[in-house]
Amino acid sequence: SEFESAKESTLNAHYTPLGIVQAIWTALANAGFTGGRILDPASGPGYFIGAMPEEIARRSSVLCVELEPTTARIAKALYEPHAKVLNMGFEAAQIPDNYFDLVVSNFPFGRYQVACHRRKPYSNWSIHNWFVGRTLDVVRPGGVVAFITSSWFMDSDSDKVRAVVARKAKLVAAYRLPQGALQGTAN
């Protein structure tokens, strides 16, 4: 069962190279983030948590959510008790709205939907857009969301998703990673 679960997750096993993770933490620190309640809703083995600057880690409580069981156990072995790790999908996690100071992650992406019954505008969006929508529910007003997602988020012919997101959040910065940036750690 573990092998089958791992095999099914390969579509979304886009682990982020350490240099990119460190650049995101540097940008967050430069923007003034010093710590708080942090969520990684698609943590994988915990790259974002493992690379968190020590001064931020000391002032933070961390929740990681990871669907794939073996990968979640790796994150638990590496980071608990500093970070709580839930082995479930983000859609199943009982996470309060307007709670986190920071959500940071490399979201899964693809042309399929999450089984979401929340009756929210994002409920039937593709998985990467769904993660953006759900994340905006759980980050507090004034909180920060820093994520990697598919180019289809910004490049979609339809502006429906971006319009909903723009009503809930202010875009501070966006960077397009070069093609193949995740290739060394994906698949």
Side-chain angles (χ1 to χ4, degrees), residues 23-175:
I24 291 171
W25 280 116
T26 298
L28 289 165
N30 289 343
F33 185 78
T34 60
R37 294 181 301 248
I38 299 172
L39 169 67
D40 184 342
S43 70
Y47 286 19
F48 281 93
I49 303 314
M52 183 187 312
E54 189 176 324
E55 58 276 7
I56 292 176
R58 277 195 308 267
R59 296 186 205 113
S60 298
S61 61
V62 180
L63 176 63
C64 297
V65 179
E66 173 53 40
L67 177 63
E68 203 283 310
T70 302
T71 308
R73 281 199 312 273
I74 291 168
K76 283 181 182 188
L78 290 172
Y79 302 113
E80 283 189 343
H82 172 68
K84 181 176 181 180
V85 179
L86 301 178
N87 178 207
M88 61 181 54
F90 186 30
E91 71 280 3
Q94 297 297 312
I95 296 175
D97 287 354
N98 304 310
Y99 181 75
F100 289 96
D101 300 299
L102 171 66
V103 179
V104 61
S105 196
N106 179 352
F107 295 159
F109 41 91
R111 293 179 190 221
Y112 58 94
Q113 296 174 335
V114 173
C116 177
H117 307 290
R118 295 188 194 297
R119 296 188 180 170
K120 298 280 189 165
Y122 58 80
S123 293
N124 64 352
W125 293 354
S126 61
I127 189 167
H128 48 278
N129 292 334
W130 182 90
F131 264 77
V132 174
R134 179 68 182 130
T135 294
L136 293 177
D137 281 350
V138 300
V139 72
R140 68 168 175 76
V144 178
V145 178
F147 61 89
I148 297 171
T149 191
S150 164
S151 62
W152 289 106
F153 176 73
M154 294 300 281
D155 293 351
S156 175
D157 291 336
S158 169
D159 66 349
K160 180 177 107 177
V161 171
R162 291 186 301 274
V164 170
V165 170
R167 285 193 294 275
K168 292 191 79 169
K170 176 183 167 189
L171 178 64
V172 175
Y175 301 94

